[in-house]
């Protein structure tokens, strides 16, 4: 099965997505997500200029060989742009392999290790009452794991709290990112109050998660973890800037609140010490930012040795092709923990036709051959790319703060 064409399509059905399409001489088509939120066009250029020309003529069945060829062969290894590009190729090749075998990808990965994949959903609110309403709605929908975020009193905007009815929370600000203000003291006071209010209102019959978005110092994160211990969190996510793996030693020495990190990681080397030193409980690397199905499985296999479970990133800026690929991995690994599910904003469904489903808080990839997502290029052309950025975060005195 030879690759005859590899092309990249950028579209914005609700938000920006970059999709790699690989065609073969057998008439099969595979797709992979190459979206890197706010830096989309860097991956487009990487693929178009440096990767697609190298793919044409290759045997599409040789997934591992193509992975190594692109990773080791480039000399410049790792990094979000490189690893997102490689991930798109890898997922498209797994999609093709599934179609060639007439099987869903999870069957090729060893088959179902569970009946379905527990997902966590997002609940948020401008205040605690609004947050509680959203938690209730999600529990009513059958979700068993809920991530809670609410606006921090005194700050004009809080990342992770979308305006009512919206499924994205990067403001549409054209060619420049919005600038938000941040106050760690206000956040720390409020976070404990928010979490305790949710447990008081709804009890302990579901999993409770919270995302710190990398904003604390190690000792501040340790303080938060300790303060939240009575509320039996499923995890706190991204407590400190993720590139400093040693920060987690400090946090770990102080608290038993489970820790999750990894959505900004792009290779197994970012995870190595966190996993082998048992400094975290969940590794959140995503299929589309960490080298695809091939590399993500390697990360999760390492994690399994050390009792660390998966908790893949699944925000709406990862396209349906990425979410589907994640579900195939989630279905088949022994150490699955949870899968993030934010859903996709309309009209994404005009462009991506999906075979996965989410019922009663559990997702299943479906049994269509490959990853089970098709991409409509004509529909995509109706939704052209719009530059859009994640917000910048400044402290009250104007200093740029960590994500
Ligand atoms: C999450 C993430 C998102 C990211 C976004 C960046 O846990 O869902 O933190 O909110 O910020 O995916 O592109
Ligand atoms: Mg996050």
């Amino acid at each position: 099965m030879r690759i005859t064409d590899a092309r990249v399509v950028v579209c914005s059905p609700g938000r920006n997505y970059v999709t790699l399409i690989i065609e073969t001489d057998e008439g099969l088509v595979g797709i992979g997500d190459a979206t890197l939120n706010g830096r989309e066009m860097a991956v487009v250029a990487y693929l178009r200029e440096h990767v697609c020309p190298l793919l044409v003529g290759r045997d599409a069945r040789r997934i591992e060989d193509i992975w190594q060829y692109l990773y080791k062969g480039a000399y410049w290894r790792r990094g979000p742009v490189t690893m997102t590009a490689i991930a798109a190729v890898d997922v498209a090749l797994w999609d093709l392999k599934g179609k060639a075998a007439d099987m869903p990808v999870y069957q090729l990965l060893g088959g179902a290790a569970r009946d379905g994949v527990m997902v966590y959903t997002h609940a948020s609110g401008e205040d605690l009452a609004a947050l509680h309403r959203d938690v209730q709605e999600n529990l009513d929908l059958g979700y068993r794991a809920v991530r809670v975020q609410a606006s921090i009193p005194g700050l004009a905007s809080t990342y992770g709290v979308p305006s009512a009815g919206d499924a994205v929370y990067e403001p549409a600000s054209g060619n420049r990112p919005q600038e938000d203000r941040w106050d760690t003291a206000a956040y720390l006071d409020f976070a404990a109050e928010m979490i305790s209010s949710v447990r008081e209102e709804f009890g302990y019959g579901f999993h409770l998660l919270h995302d710190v978005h990398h904003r604390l110092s190690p000792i501040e994160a340790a303080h938060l973890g300790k303060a939240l211990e009575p509320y039996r969190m499923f995890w706190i996510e991204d407590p400190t800037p993720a590139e400093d793996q040693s920060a987690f030693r400090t946090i770990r020495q102080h608290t038993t609140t489970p820790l999750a990190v990894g959505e900004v990681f792009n290779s197994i080397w970012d995870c190595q010490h966190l996993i082998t030193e048992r400094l975290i409980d969940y590794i959140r690397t995503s299929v589309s930012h960490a080298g695809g199905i091939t590399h993500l499985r390697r990360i999760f296999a390492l994690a399994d040795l050390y009792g660390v479970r998966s908790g893949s990133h699944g925000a709406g800026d990862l396209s349906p092709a990425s979410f589907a690929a994640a579900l195939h991995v989630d279905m088949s690994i022994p150490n699955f923990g949870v899968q993030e599910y934010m859903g996709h904003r309309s009209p994404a469904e005009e462009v991506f036709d999906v075979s996965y489903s989410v019922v009663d808080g559990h997702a299943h990839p479906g049994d269509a051959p490959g990853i089970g997502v098709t991409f409509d290029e004509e529909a995509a052309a109706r939704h052209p790319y719009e530059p859009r950025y994640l917000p910048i975060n400044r402290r009250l005195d104007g200093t740029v703060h960590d994500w």
Side-chain angles (χ1 to χ4, degrees):
M1 183 166 57
R2 295 273 154 197
I3 297 173
T4 51
D5 186 39
R7 60 185 180 279
V8 184
V9 176
V10 193
C11 62
S12 189
R15 64 175 309 142
N16 290 317
Y17 295 118
V18 179
T19 306
L20 174 70
I21 303 164
I22 298 183
E23 288 183 0
T24 67
D25 57 2
E26 294 185 8
L28 297 175
V29 179
I31 62 164
D33 180 22
T35 311
L36 187 61
N37 194 9
R39 293 293 184 271
E40 293 86 1
M41 301 313 278
V43 188
V44 172
Y46 192 104
L47 282 167
R48 276 189 187 149
E49 303 294 324
H50 303 293
V51 174
C52 292
L54 302 180
L55 292 177
V56 175
R58 275 177 202 285
D59 182 347
R61 296 171 302 181
R62 297 183 60 179
I63 299 178
E64 182 69 38
D65 182 65
I66 291 178
W67 198 97
Q68 300 294 340
Y69 176 86
L70 294 174
Y71 181 79
K72 293 181 180 163
Y75 185 70
W76 310 106
R77 300 183 183 189
R78 308 194 283 159
V81 175
T82 296
M83 297 305 278
T84 302
I86 294 178
V89 175
D90 185 77
V91 170
L93 295 179
W94 278 103
D95 191 24
L96 284 166
K97 196 175 278 298
K99 286 173 176 161
D102 198 25
M103 281 186 201
V105 168
Y106 77 86
Q107 293 291 4
L108 303 176
L109 302 178
R114 52 197 48 80
D115 301 332
V117 168
M118 182 173 76
V119 297
Y120 73 88
T121 179
H122 290 194
S124 61
E126 301 280 341
D127 55 28
L128 293 182
L131 170 65
H132 291 180
R133 282 195 297 278
D134 204 10
V135 171
Q136 185 64 60
E137 273 176 31
N138 282 296
L139 293 177
D140 290 346
L141 287 169
Y143 290 102
R144 305 316 308 153
V146 184
R147 186 191 93 162
V148 294
Q149 312 290 132
S151 300
I152 300 165
L155 297 184
S157 57
T158 301
Y159 184 72
V161 183
S163 36
D166 204 352
V168 290
Y169 36 71
E170 288 86 42
S173 47
N175 273 320
R176 268 175 210 278
Q178 175 175 303
E179 300 206 359
D180 291 344
R181 292 284 159 162
W182 174 256
D183 179 357
T184 298
Y187 166 73
L188 283 175
D189 290 344
F190 177 65
E193 184 192 336
M194 172 181 68
I195 297 294
S196 72
S197 82
V198 172
R199 281 303 194 201
E200 267 163 38
E201 186 76 15
F202 300 99
Y204 286 75
F206 64 102
H207 298 299
L208 185 56
L209 299 82
H210 174 63
D211 191 346
V212 186
H213 290 119
H214 309 107
R215 289 181 188 195
L216 299 178
S217 71
I219 206 68
E220 290 162 352
H223 170 86
L224 178 66
K226 263 176 115 161
L228 299 186
E229 277 172 20
Y231 309 113
R232 191 176 53 69
M233 301 297 291
F234 187 89
W235 74 36
I236 56 172
E237 172 187 337
D238 292 343
T240 50
E243 69 267 41
D244 179 6
Q245 298 192 26
S246 67
F248 283 80
R249 281 194 207 109
T250 305
I251 308 172
R252 206 54 154 177
Q253 281 159 8
H254 291 280
T255 180
T256 57
T257 291
L259 304 171
V261 71
E263 65 179 50
V264 296
F265 291 170
N266 48 71
S267 93
I268 197 165
W269 304 101
D270 296 324
C271 319
Q272 182 183 18
H273 299 296
L274 293 172
I275 290 173
T276 59
E277 294 180 36
R278 301 177 194 272
L279 300 179
I280 54 170
D281 301 280
Y282 296 91
I283 184 71
R284 279 181 46 69
T285 36
S286 74
V287 74
S288 61
H289 296 147
I293 291 172
T294 298
H295 197 64
L296 191 64
R297 288 226 303 161
R298 212 155 270 155
I299 293 172
F300 290 161
L302 176 68
D304 188 35
L305 285 180
Y306 295 91
V308 174
R309 290 195 279 159
S310 72
S312 279
H313 187 207
D317 53 286
L318 285 75
S319 91
S322 175
F323 185 69
L327 294 182
H328 290 280
V329 175
D330 295 339
M331 279 297 280
S332 57
I333 55 170
N335 54 327
F336 170 73
V338 73
Q339 169 67 50
E340 181 177 16
Y341 174 59
M342 196 173 162
H344 295 92
R345 199 184 186 213
S346 195
E349 71 287 351
E350 280 181 23
V351 177
F352 298 92
D353 186 34
V354 307
S355 70
Y356 60 74
S357 55
V358 183
V359 179
D360 284 338
H362 288 76
H364 192 286
D367 284 304
I371 62 167
V373 176
T374 55
F375 182 76
D376 183 335
E377 282 187 73
E378 277 176 28
R382 294 198 296 270
H383 305 285
Y385 169 68
E386 301 164 11
R388 219 168 152 145
Y389 290 98
L390 285 154
I392 304 286
N393 202 28
R394 290 185 189 273
R395 289 179 214 150
L396 299 181
D397 69 357
T399 309
V400 174
H401 190 62
D402 290 302
W403 252 108

